Amino acid sequence: MAITIYGIKTCDTMKKARSWLDQHGVAYRFHDYKTEGVTKALLESWCKEHGWEVVLNRAGTTFRALAEADKQGLDARKAVALMQEHTSLIKRPVLDLGDRRLVGFKPEVYAAAFKAAA
C-alpha cells in the first residue's frame, strides 16, 4: 500500500503524525504543501470525501488573518480556491491510504486504520 502524508514540514501536528508512522514502521512519502503545492483536483477530491468544512483549517492564524470578505460566503468552491492560494489553510495532516484519506491526527484513529489494513 503506497501511503502519502500531506502537510507542512514545520507543523507540530505533522511532526506528531510522522513520528507515529515512524514508530509503527509505516513507510510513507511526505508531500509538503509549501514546497510542492497542491492541485485543485486533489483539494476537490478531499472535500468531496470529507466535506470542505473538515478540510479547511479555520483554527489557525492564516484563517484569522484573511480579509473578512474572504471569510464570508464560504462554500466548497471558495474554500478550495483559498486553500490552494494559502496552503496553511489545509487541515494537517491528510494521510492518503490509497482507498481513503484521514484528515487530522489522532493516534487512536491511525492505530485503527492500520489495524484494519493488516
Side-chain angles (χ1 to χ4, degrees):
M1 168 173 29
I3 296 170
T4 302
I5 189 167
Y6 294 85
I8 297 170
K9 187 177 185 177
T10 58
C11 171
D12 287 341
T13 304
M14 284 297 306
K15 290 175 185 174
K16 290 175 189 174
R18 292 177 71 190
S19 177
W20 190 97
L21 293 170
D22 292 341
Q23 289 172 4
H24 290 85
V26 177
Y28 61 90
R29 176 183 155 320
F30 173 55
H31 179 106
D32 190 331
Y33 302 137
K34 292 290 185 190
T35 58
E36 299 179 62
V38 63
T39 66
K40 179 180 178 184
L42 193 57
L43 287 169
E44 287 174 340
S45 72
W46 294 344
C47 290
K48 184 177 181 181
E49 183 176 358
H50 291 281
W52 67 267
E53 299 91 341
V54 171
V55 180
L56 179 68
N57 178 11
R58 295 184 198 212
T61 57
T62 304
F63 186 81
R64 289 192 298 270
L66 288 175
E68 283 304 314
D70 288 335
K71 296 179 192 177
Q72 300 303 315
L74 277 173
D75 60 11
R77 181 195 56 77
K78 189 172 182 180
V80 165
L82 285 169
M83 288 185 283
Q84 195 169 17
E85 182 178 350
H86 308 281
T87 54
S88 295
L89 289 173
I90 305 167
K91 186 133 188 188
R92 300 175 296 275
V94 175
L95 185 67
D96 188 336
L97 298 171
D99 62 339
R100 69 191 187 289
R101 267 92 359 237
L102 304 177
V103 179
F105 173 66
K106 292 187 177 171
E108 64 275 13
V109 173
Y110 274 41
F114 287 100
K115 183 178 181 185

